[in-house]
Structures are given as structure tokens and as C-alpha cells.
Amino acid sequence: MPNYLLFPLKKYLYFTLITLIAILVSGCFYSGQKTIYSQQNLTHNDSNNTDTIQSNKKTKPVALLVNSTTQDFSAHWLSPKLILLPQNNLHQQHNLTFEDGEHIEQVALTPFIGEINHLRIPKHLRSFNLFEVKLTDDKIKKWLKNKVYVSSSSDNISSKHIAHVQTAQLLDVLFTSQSNDADEVKNLGATVNKNLIKFALWAPTAKQVTLLIFNEDKQATDIISLSENTNTGIWSGEISNIQQEVYYQYQLNTYHPASDKVETLTTTDPYSLSLSTNSEYSHVIDLDDSKNKPNGWSSQQDVLIKNPEDNIFYETHIRDFSAHDPKLSSPKVRGKYAAFSEKNSAGIKHFKALQKAGINNIHLLPTFDIGTVNEDESQVIDLNDPISKLCQIVPQHQLCILGDQKMTIREYLETLPLATQERQAIVSSMREIDNYNWGYDPFHYTVPEGSYAQNPEGSARIIEFRQMVQSIHNLGFRVIMDVVYNHTHQAGLEPTAVLDKIVPNYYHRLDPITGEIAQSTCCDNTATENVMMEKLMTDSLIVWARDYKIDGFRFDLMAHQPKSSMLKARKAVQGVDSDTYFYGEGWNFGEVANNQRFMQASQLELGGTQIGTFTDRLRDAVRGGAFSASGDDIRKSQGIGSGLGTLPNELVNHEKSRSDYLLSADQLRIGLAGNLADFPLENAQNENVTGKKIPYGDQPTGYALDPADTINYVSKHDNQTLWDNNQYRLPYSTSTKDRVRIHLQSLAFPIFAQGIPFLHMGSEFLRSKSFLRDSYDYGDWFNKVDFTKQTNNYNVGLPPADKDQANWPLIKKLRANNEGRDIVSPSDIELSSEVFKTFISLRMSTPLFRLTNSEQIIKRVKFHNTGKEQQIGLIVMSIDDSDKSQQLDADISALVVIFNTSTAEKTINFKEAEQYQLHPIQRNGVDTVVKQSSGNENSFSVPALTTSIFIKKR
């Protein structure tokens, strides 16, 4: 354990470290107040095991200004005349009460009598009792700027009951339900029109809003009182004759439930388009001004896609791309946007090779402004920094006792023994002050993150981000942005809270009884079911697509948002970019699960929309499940790509292994057919069923109605890498050569499946994170990707205790019993990279791997070796193109894909197999084993652990 105390610190608060430690040591930090803080290891369950969602926070525990007793927020004001109270409120008299500090007013609630459209009441509130309130709209708007609660009493009960009121739906009715109100306003935020700047902020519950103006030195230059439009709830004002850079903040006088009093709060603009370093000030910018664009912006390459199924997504973290690249032109671009504009780096060289093979999309992990990495480089640690810099920032760090502080942190880590806990302890101790995070911590949704910029101040980061996008486009790729509109980094009165300071309790999803913000995503969940949060998301997406030329969006925890919101947002983005593509995580869990609050944008609800969802069906069939398991329970859970049915390890029950294999094989076949609900298949019981009838836990395996509904993957940033996953599960005796082939075969499944492949950067290099399950905040050490192909980052120390201490005994046992067979050489990595590119070229060589509708797949795709008597370890898929009237490929009339996951050569009977030949890309490739595949008179033969593609020429 480190011998010092170090809580995670917020962006721009590192200078308070010593003070915080003193407070902690004194035991005064919590002060008896309720602390709402979540850094949970949540496994959201979409019927079986799905991706593990982690809190990605570098933030100290939050001491909210609320009483230690749980508050009651069980009253719901849905419309001007309708209030809901829970049935367990047994009092007989209920009064809606208003307090403004000087006055108290009340109006009696009466039981509602009459008919009401039940669809207007969310499912989770339909058991509540309905009451009618009689107030004018003007009076309601006045009350909403103050404390409002329901006071309940009875003649036979001595005490009164107080229920604070949730008002989000009422705000929507009052300010967004008409034809020309808040949600129709196009220009929220700061808008530049020649020498005039207009400001607009939606804050209907604020008593007063003031605009604070600053110059580029952050010196106050003006204070402007904004005026409110009571029909829209928008506060607005303007300034003119501006001759310099303008920074600004809003100051709001507003009642806030977190403190139960009127607060004067200063915050940035939720519609910010530019920011100061560390996001303390919003910055006025005209994104259409040529001075804010890199040279060549208007003439950059536009990479077009004919059909969504033509996409291949390559998931990239901006820092991972260049953090270890030895061929950068300058160390200043390491981990920065600028690394994508390099000419001769190892990463760029590899990207060019991937593009030539056929990969056409670079998916960037979050690149919007986040709340977890300090943008002032003097205050953050890099592995290449000397220990002396670490000691300047944290003088009491355990490394500061070392005599040689000129040694870099990386050099010191390399001196530590592999099998001990020391490396992970050092890496873990620096999490809060290093320059790394995945970025799922939204601070401002519509500004590029500053820590990836060489200059994070104002327009500089905008230009650097645009230069990156332009360079990626000019390499021949589309650019996909990972967006996180399902939560914010913080809420309440906390430093990186923005939305909740402006309209408290509106932008976030609240518990129906306590009013606490739901945190099922990891952090403070937003409520995109509320009109102005939906508008913020849509407006933000339009900016990214129109002004930054982002070609598509991946939505984090998308099922926490309404299906209707996703469809509306896509339509709006298509208005500025017709071939955009939306996809995301459709996991069904949390307070919104099973459509409790709205119809979700979940796997089962999005079928037929061509909004893609990641499929855990193919993933689990290949990798094995048990994502929340630890120790031996991980090792027991083999998948078809990690030995199930063919390479059992010492913990596997052989009888159960066969039955698990048969079900997994059927799930995998449906996955290869685009995960279609209606795809016909002979199952392992010799029954003719469809994809939706094959079980995946308590849900159907097949749920897609179109191949563009499905994103196929076996590895991404979440959870262990594919290489680490397989090492957990493979028998000790498995040779290095076979481990590499098993890894490649796992990658072959999503690449040759109908639907859209999603590939994790470095998976072609056998990428490892040394068994770390969740690397979101564990720096360059565990997240290393080596584009020079010398190492795969395996066995660089035990993974951090916080995530994987329970797995240490198994990891140590594996490393000992594997006897080095899990250690790969540069030649192994080179072979894997080349075969990977071969697979990509094969997919893109024919439209038969990219069928564009369910009818084509059902008609053309067929599986062989199915039913009770199937050969274990052999998945055989054919795709037909013999009908000349519906011909898709001018050269090929049919193809057969054979996945042999066993350790022996396999032969499968197939009529007229002699008319097929091994695909020329494989015949001429680097894999000598696949070249042994053959087609005889009525059978195919395929070597062990090999995926072979046979084609029948016209």
C-alpha cells in the first residue's frame, strides 16, 4: 500500500492537495453530512453477462450539502393541473406549498376526478395517486423559482409529511409544448454575428442571471444583467464592438435543492463551443470563421460509404495511438491530436496499411471536454517524466525517498520485479495526477478535450482537433466519435457540474421517491426523456457533424436514452450529413430497464431502425461469458474461441462443455447471420427454428431485423483484451503458435459475420493489458500499444489490485504453468498483424460478406454441420450468389467459410466441393497453414485452428 493519502482530484483543483490531505487527516471531511459518491463496479445485465461498466472518475468523494436523513421527493408535478403522490402517503389533506424566504403560500390539492391519457404518465409512476391543483401558469412559473413542496396532514395523525416536488415534466409542458418556445430556439449559447455577440441561456427556474465578461487574461471587463423571456424561460443579452477575445461565465441566483436554499452560482455555458484551459471559462468563438480552421479544411477528403454494412470500425484511444511511438517527429505530439498528422510515425504507417486492407472508420474514444484530466501539463505526470516532477506535485509520494530522482518513472517501473505487487501499486498511486483517462466523464458536450491539445486554450484546441479530423480523412478513413450523453461527470453544487446548477433537478434522472440522481451508468445519469436535455444532445451532435465533419457516432449506454430521441437526433444529423451512422450500447439495465420510463434505445427495441447495437450474443459465444466473475470462475467459462468443446482446461466439466458448445455454436451461427431474429436454422436438437427462438439467457439470441442493426465484436476497450481473455481460459499446454492462431480465429468471427465489424486497436498485435479488466484510468503502462510490433504488453506486472486482486492467484498460476508458452515474439505479432489484414481484405473483396437486408441474408446464407450429430469444433457457412438475375458479385457465384476451432484437421462433406478453390488472397498470403486447405470431390478439408474461405468462380 502507498504510505500516503491521495484522494482523486478534480480538474483544476490539484493545488488544493495539501489542504485536502490535512482535512482528511483531521477527520473533518464528511462533517456528518450525507455523502453521495459512486465509484462502483457495475455489471449491467442484459439477460446474461454484458460489458462491465466502471466509474471513470478522478474526483474526490462528494460532500453534498444535504441533511443526513433521506429527503422525500415523491411528489411529481406533471402538468399545470396534475400532481402525483405515492399511494403510501396516508394523509388526508395535501397542500402545495411555496416558500421564497419571506412568504409562504399554499393551495389545496384535490383528488383528480375524470379521464386522463395514461400514456402521459410514465410507467414507473402509474401506481401513484392523482391530484388536481388550481393555479395560473404565471403563478406556477413564479413558484418554480422557489422552494415548492407538498405538505400533507390528517386529523388523526399528529405529524405532517413533507414531500419535495419533482418538476421536470411540468417545465417541459410550460416551456416546450407550444409551437414557438424553448425547444424551437436555434441559437442557445453564444452566437457571433459580425461584431455582435448574443447570449442565450435556458434557465426558467432562475431568479436572476448575470453575464460575466472576461478578456483573454481572465480579467473581468463587464457585467451584464440578462433579461428573461417568460414564455421560453430563456435569459438573453448581447454585447457589441468587441475588439478582443471574449471569455464568459454565467452567474445565477437560484433555489437549489442540494442545499435547500437560494444560491448564487457561477458556471460555464452548457452550450459552450470553446473553453479556457481546464474549462473554467466559456470562450466565444465563430466556428465558421476561417481563422478557426486549419489550412485545407474545406478541401479535405470526404470518405463516402454506400451502405452501412460497408463500415468497419477500428476503435482508437487518442493517447494510446501515439503514447509509445518511437518514430514521432517531436515528443510534444505524443498522446496528442497532432500525432494523427504525423508523416512517418509507426502508428501512421500502420494506419495506412489498415486502410489499404479495407478498414474505413477510425472510432475515437471520447474526445469532448472531460472532467478528469488536468489540462495544465505542468500539473500532470507522464511515464517519461523524471521522478523529481512527481515529487514536485506530490512531495509525500513514496518514490520521493529514492536517491536518484532523475530516473524517469518508466525506467523505475522497469526495474521492479514482474511477479510482485510493486508495479501496479506505483501505477495506481499516480492515477489521480497522470494524463490518462478513457474520457467517459462529460464536462462540456460540444467542445474538444483540451488535454489532447498542445495548447488547450480557446480556439487553439479547436484548430488542433480539426487538423486531426482532416488528417484522418485524408488518410482515407471516416471519423467516428464516441459520445456520452447518458450522464455527466458531476451534478449538484460540485465543481464540474454545469447543467444541474442552471436548472436544478431537470437535466438528470431522479429516483421517484428520494429524488436522488440515478447512477446506474456509473455517474450522474442525464434524462434525455426531458425535452431540453434531448435538445442539448441533438444540437451538440449537429455541431460535431456539421462543424467538425464527424461521420458517425457511437453512443455510450444508449439504452438509457429513449428510442424516439435517438431517431429524432439521427434525422437532425442526417440533415447536415446524409450518410451518418449511429450505433451504441443497447444494454437493458438500471432504472430505465424494460421500458420503465420510456421505450428504450435498446437491443430488442431498435430492430429494423439501422441504428446498430453491440451484440453480446456472438461475443459471448466466442470469448466465453462470466464478465463479472473472478478467479477459477473465469477459467471455467470457455467460449468457442477459447477452447470450448475442443481444448478443455483442467476445470471444465466435459459433459457440460458439450452442451454449452452446442448452444454457443447455434448462437454463433445466428451471429454470423447478422443476429437476425427471423433467420432459419436447424438447432442442436434437430429442430427448425429462427434466431429469436434460440435462447440467450432469458432473452432471444436473434433480435435484429436488418444487418445494419448489428455491431459484431469480440474485443473493445471494456474488459480484458481478447489476448488476456484467452490466456485465462486456454489449457496450460497450448503452444505459442496455437495461441496466436486461436486469437486470430476469434477475430475472424466478427470480420466474416453479416452486420458490421468492430475491432479493438491493437487486437491485431495480440494486444494485452496484462490481465487488467478495466484500464480506464490506469495510464500508459497498462494501456500500451506498440505499433513497432516488438511487444504485446503482456506480463508487465500484476494488474491493479482495485480491479483484479482476486485474480492474482490465478494469474500467478497461469504464468507458472504456461512455462512461457503465453509469451509472444515480434515474429508472432507480425504474423498476427498480416493475417488480420488478410481477413479485412477478404471481407472487403466481395459484397457477399456485406449483405444489406434481412431478405438477402435469409435467402443466401446457409449453415452446414448442424443438428445433433454435428462435428464439434466446425462451423461451416455458405453464401450463395448463383442467381444471375440478383447477382451481387461479378466473379463469385458462391463462397464457403469454414471455421475449424479444433486442434486437428477437419473434413466436412460438401457437394461439388471440387468446384471451389481457396480464396486467392489466402493462397497468396503469409499464413502457410491455411494454404493446406483443400476441396475434394465432395468434401472440404481444413487444418487445425484455421479459418478458410473457398470460392466458386463464375
Side-chain angles (χ1 to χ4, degrees):
M1 293 287 291
N3 57 3
Y4 62 95
L5 290 171
L6 182 62
F7 274 97
L9 301 179
K10 299 198 179 68
K11 198 179 211 181
Y12 68 81
L13 290 181
Y14 290 87
F15 64 88
T16 63
L17 175 65
I18 304 303
T19 303
L20 281 174
I21 291 175
I23 295 172
L24 283 169
V25 171
S26 71
C28 299
F29 188 83
Y30 294 100
S31 301
Q33 294 174 328
K34 181 179 180 183
T35 298
I36 301 174
Y37 174 67
S38 175
Q39 188 158 355
Q40 306 172 39
N41 301 336
L42 298 176
T43 299
H44 49 75
N45 196 320
D46 192 358
S47 82
N48 254 342
N49 294 308
T50 58
D51 287 322
T52 303
I53 304 304
Q54 301 301 329
S55 171
N56 303 330
K57 294 176 129 183
K58 288 186 179 176
T59 170
K60 67 175 181 281
V62 178
L64 292 182
L65 300 174
V66 297
N67 295 326
S68 58
T69 56
T70 301
Q71 294 195 56
D72 187 322
F73 276 80
S74 62
H76 296 257
W77 201 347
L78 300 188
S79 70
K81 297 187 181 301
L82 186 65
I83 287 183
L84 301 185
L85 296 176
Q87 289 185 353
N88 61 2
N89 188 330
L90 303 179
H91 293 280
Q92 296 171 343
Q93 293 92 37
H94 308 283
N95 293 302
L96 184 64
T97 306
F98 153 88
E99 291 184 14
D100 67 357
E102 297 180 0
H103 305 93
I104 297 178
E105 296 182 39
Q106 287 188 332
V107 61
L109 301 181
T110 57
F112 180 84
I113 300 174
E115 295 183 3
I116 187 167
N117 183 353
H118 229 51
L119 295 178
R120 292 175 56 200
I121 302 178
K123 187 188 299 184
H124 71 293
L125 298 179
R126 289 181 187 171
S127 64
F128 282 46
N129 291 326
L130 282 66
F131 291 86
E132 188 171 4
V133 58
K134 294 181 179 179
L135 286 170
T136 66
D137 285 1
D138 289 342
K139 174 78 79 170
I140 292 172
K141 289 177 180 180
K142 176 186 174 183
W143 280 30
L144 289 175
K145 293 178 182 292
N146 297 277
K147 181 177 180 177
V148 180
Y149 57 91
V150 173
S151 173
S152 301
S153 61
S154 295
D155 294 338
N156 59 345
I157 301 177
S158 59
S159 63
K160 287 187 176 182
H161 180 81
I162 301 299
H164 297 272
V165 180
Q166 298 190 29
T167 61
Q169 285 186 261
L170 174 62
L171 290 171
D172 281 346
V173 173
L174 291 174
F175 297 103
T176 73
S177 62
Q178 302 302 313
S179 59
N180 190 27
D181 47 16
D183 56 324
E184 279 82 34
V185 172
K186 292 184 178 180
N187 294 317
L188 290 173
T191 306
V192 180
N193 185 3
K194 296 182 180 179
N195 203 31
L196 184 69
I197 305 172
K198 295 184 177 181
F199 298 87
L201 179 73
W202 187 69
T205 60
K207 293 173 174 290
Q208 182 179 352
V209 180
T210 303
L211 178 66
L212 310 178
I213 301 295
F214 304 85
N215 62 21
E216 58 188 334
D217 296 323
K218 314 307 180 296
Q219 296 174 331
T221 61
D222 205 352
I223 299 175
I224 300 170
S225 294
L226 302 185
S227 58
E228 182 185 15
N229 181 323
T230 57
N231 290 324
T232 64
I234 292 174
W235 296 75
S236 60
E238 61 185 43
I239 57 177
S240 59
N241 299 317
I242 299 302
Q243 304 298 323
Q244 58 184 358
E245 295 290 318
V246 175
Y247 290 84
Y248 68 102
Q249 296 172 329
Y250 291 119
Q251 188 176 83
L252 297 93
N253 185 254
T254 188
Y255 169 78
H256 205 294
S259 61
D260 194 22
K261 64 181 182 180
V262 175
E263 299 277 1
T264 299
L265 302 173
T266 301
T267 185
T268 46
D269 190 340
Y271 271 77
S272 293
L273 296 177
S274 182
L275 294 159
S276 67
T277 300
N278 279 329
S279 313
E280 295 182 70
Y281 302 87
S282 297
H283 173 238
V284 175
I285 191 169
D286 180 0
L287 291 176
D288 202 38
D289 192 322
S290 60
K291 71 179 182 181
N292 298 317
K293 301 175 183 179
N295 293 333
W297 179 252
S298 60
S299 60
Q300 65 186 279
Q301 183 175 344
D302 189 7
V303 183
L304 301 177
I305 292 291
K306 182 180 180 182
N307 301 304
E309 294 81 6
D310 295 331
N311 287 305
I312 300 179
F313 298 120
Y314 187 79
E315 185 190 44
T316 305
H317 182 269
I318 289 174
R319 182 161 183 83
D320 291 352
F321 173 68
S322 60
H324 300 272
D325 196 325
K327 298 183 179 181
L328 298 172
S329 62
S330 167
K332 293 181 179 180
V333 306
R334 189 178 309 282
K336 304 295 185 179
Y337 297 130
F340 292 86
S341 300
E342 289 287 286
K343 302 300 181 185
N344 299 303
S345 68
I348 290 297
K349 179 181 177 181
H350 186 65
F351 267 29
K352 289 178 178 178
L354 293 179
Q355 193 278 333
K356 183 178 180 181
I359 288 181
N360 49 25
N361 285 266
I362 300 301
H363 165 128
L364 299 173
L365 263 69
T367 61
F368 50 77
D369 184 58
I370 64 174
T372 44
V373 177
N374 195 316
E375 294 172 357
D376 180 352
E377 289 196 344
S378 69
Q379 297 300 311
V380 292
I381 293 298
D382 184 280
L383 285 181
N384 297 311
D385 284 334
I387 293 173
S388 59
K389 182 180 179 182
L390 171 64
C391 295
Q392 289 173 3
I393 298 174
V394 188
Q396 68 274 48
H397 193 281
Q398 59 185 2
L399 294 189
C400 299
I401 64 174
L402 296 175
D404 182 9
Q405 293 189 5
K406 294 181 180 178
M407 181 186 297
T408 68
I409 297 167
R410 183 193 304 278
E411 290 169 342
Y412 179 74
L413 287 171
E414 289 171 348
T415 68
L416 300 175
L418 285 173
T420 68
Q421 306 173 18
E422 294 178 73
R423 293 187 178 195
Q424 65 82 29
I426 296 296
V427 171
S428 296
S429 74
M430 297 187 299
R431 288 169 56 201
E432 326 311 337
I433 52 170
D434 72 358
N435 50 12
Y436 194 93
N437 201 284
W438 280 347
Y440 292 91
D441 306 296
F443 192 176
H444 298 89
Y445 285 119
T446 322
V447 184
E449 164 60 12
S451 65
Y452 296 134
Q454 295 179 82
N455 180 1
E457 184 67 26
S459 59
R461 71 166 82 180
I462 309 294
I463 297 169
E464 289 188 49
F465 182 90
R466 283 174 154 173
Q467 181 65 63
M468 174 190 67
V469 173
Q470 178 176 315
S471 296
I472 296 173
H473 280 156
N474 288 340
L475 286 170
F477 298 103
R478 293 161 65 83
V479 180
I480 305 298
M481 188 171 174
D482 201 325
V483 291
V484 187
Y485 296 106
N486 66 79
H487 67 262
T488 58
H489 178 228
Q490 292 182 325
L493 302 175
E494 294 308 304
T496 63
V498 177
L499 296 172
D500 206 33
K501 291 175 181 174
I502 294 170
V503 191
N505 280 2
Y506 175 82
Y507 284 103
H508 292 86
R509 188 174 299 121
L510 309 181
D511 183 275
I513 301 299
T514 67
E516 292 184 359
I517 297 173
Q519 294 192 331
S520 57
T521 62
C522 77
C523 314
D524 294 310
N525 295 2
T526 53
T528 30
E529 63 270 29
N530 296 340
V531 174
M532 294 303 283
M533 182 61 212
E534 177 188 82
K535 174 178 171 58
L536 174 59
M537 177 180 77
T538 302
D539 290 348
S540 174
L541 290 166
I542 290 172
V543 170
W544 289 116
R546 181 191 62 213
D547 299 317
Y548 290 95
K549 299 185 184 297
I550 300 298
D551 302 291
F553 300 91
R554 177 268 191 190
F555 291 81
D556 182 65
L557 299 182
M558 182 171 61
H560 270 59
Q561 295 166 182
K563 176 181 178 179
S564 60
S565 297
M566 291 301 302
L567 293 172
K568 187 183 299 184
R570 182 178 64 175
K571 183 177 180 181
V573 173
Q574 286 173 336
V576 298
D577 180 19
S578 59
D579 68 345
T580 191
Y581 180 70
F582 281 17
Y583 60 104
E585 294 178 307
W587 318 130
N588 175 38
F589 74 103
E591 75 283 355
V592 298
N594 303 318
N595 302 321
Q596 289 181 64
R597 301 206 179 194
F598 45 77
M599 181 176 286
Q600 299 162 260
S602 62
Q603 289 174 325
L604 299 187
E605 300 296 351
L606 286 175
T609 63
Q610 296 192 338
I611 293 178
T613 58
F614 290 93
T615 171
D616 40 4
R617 280 64 163 163
L618 180 146
R619 181 202 68 194
D620 287 359
V622 175
R623 286 177 60 111
F627 285 96
S628 60
S630 60
D632 285 351
D633 287 336
I634 299 176
R635 189 158 176 78
K636 293 174 184 176
S637 301
Q638 289 185 305
I640 288 176
S642 56
L644 179 63
T646 56
L647 288 106
N649 62 49
E650 76 285 357
L651 299 181
V652 169
N653 178 300
H654 290 266
E655 184 176 340
K656 185 176 185 299
S657 174
R658 178 178 174 81
S659 62
D660 287 349
Y661 174 90
L662 292 174
L663 176 57
S664 293
D666 282 345
Q667 293 169 342
L668 178 52
R669 292 179 180 109
I670 295 301
L672 290 166
N675 210 50
L676 294 181
D678 296 324
F679 185 82
L681 180 73
E682 180 192 33
N683 68 12
Q685 291 73 45
N686 288 355
E687 300 167 336
N688 293 318
V689 297
T690 58
K692 61 191 173 189
K693 296 297 184 182
I694 294 171
Y696 175 76
D698 61 356
Q699 295 194 12
T701 291
Y703 61 78
L705 301 178
D706 186 281
D709 297 340
T710 298
I711 305 295
N712 296 304
Y713 76 110
V714 291
S715 186
K716 60 187 182 86
H717 66 274
D718 286 316
N719 301 301
Q720 295 93 351
T721 68
L722 179 61
W723 178 262
D724 292 340
N725 177 82
N726 288 350
Q727 306 323 301
Y728 264 135
R729 292 161 167 83
L730 290 172
Y732 304 128
S733 60
T734 308
S735 68
T736 305
K737 175 184 175 182
D738 284 353
R739 289 172 192 263
V740 174
R741 298 195 70 81
I742 287 166
H743 179 93
L744 285 166
Q745 187 152 64
S746 293
L747 289 171
F749 287 114
I751 292 173
F752 296 128
Q754 302 296 329
I756 301 171
F758 183 94
L759 305 164
H760 186 206
M761 183 175 75
S763 57
E764 67 271 36
F765 302 147
L766 312 172
R767 180 181 182 179
S768 170
K769 296 180 183 178
S770 205
F771 290 104
L772 176 53
R773 178 176 59 85
D774 178 21
S775 68
Y776 77 95
D777 191 23
Y778 288 93
D780 294 337
W781 184 260
F782 286 103
N783 286 287
K784 178 179 179 179
V785 180
D786 182 2
F787 284 97
T788 68
K789 308 175 194 175
Q790 298 305 298
T791 173
N792 71 337
N793 207 45
Y794 184 70
N795 196 27
V796 298
L798 288 169
D802 185 47
K803 302 295 180 182
D804 285 288
Q805 187 168 5
N807 297 321
W808 286 357
L810 174 59
I811 292 169
K812 292 177 180 179
K813 185 177 181 181
L814 288 171
R815 290 177 177 172
N817 292 350
N818 286 340
E819 298 179 341
R821 287 179 286 266
D822 49 357
I823 305 297
V824 297
S825 66
S827 61
D828 293 321
I829 297 171
E830 180 67 29
L831 174 67
S832 176
S833 178
E834 291 302 311
V835 173
F836 173 86
K837 288 184 287 187
T838 296
F839 288 166
I840 299 299
S841 296
L842 282 164
R843 177 179 177 86
M844 300 307 288
S845 70
T846 174
L848 298 182
F849 284 124
R850 310 190 306 276
L851 300 176
T852 59
N853 58 60
S854 60
E855 292 77 13
Q856 288 182 349
I857 295 173
I858 291 169
K859 179 180 179 180
R860 296 169 182 269
V861 177
K862 182 179 179 181
F863 289 94
H864 311 265
N865 186 45
T866 59
K868 289 182 179 180
E869 304 305 320
Q870 63 185 273
Q871 292 187 62
I872 300 297
L874 201 62
I875 304 291
V876 183
M877 175 178 69
S878 63
I879 308 176
D880 182 66
D881 194 32
S882 60
D883 187 345
K884 292 184 178 180
S885 66
Q886 298 180 337
Q887 176 180 308
L888 297 176
D889 191 310
D891 300 318
I892 298 174
S893 65
L895 64 80
V896 177
V897 187
I898 301 179
F899 304 90
N900 180 4
T901 62
S902 73
T903 55
E905 180 182 80
K906 288 282 188 177
T907 298
I908 178 75
N909 293 332
F910 198 96
K911 186 178 179 181
E912 299 178 343
E914 77 280 0
Q915 297 182 24
Y916 290 76
Q917 59 180 278
L918 188 66
H919 199 290
I921 292 177
Q922 289 189 310
R923 274 206 322 270
N924 299 320
V926 298
D927 184 1
T928 58
V929 176
V930 74
K931 297 176 184 180
Q932 302 169 23
S933 306
S934 61
N936 303 311
E937 184 175 354
N938 284 305
S939 66
F940 291 114
S941 294
V942 174
L945 304 174
T946 297
T947 300
S948 301
I949 314 292
F950 295 92
I951 60 171
K952 184 178 182 181
K953 303 280 284 186
R954 291 197 184 278

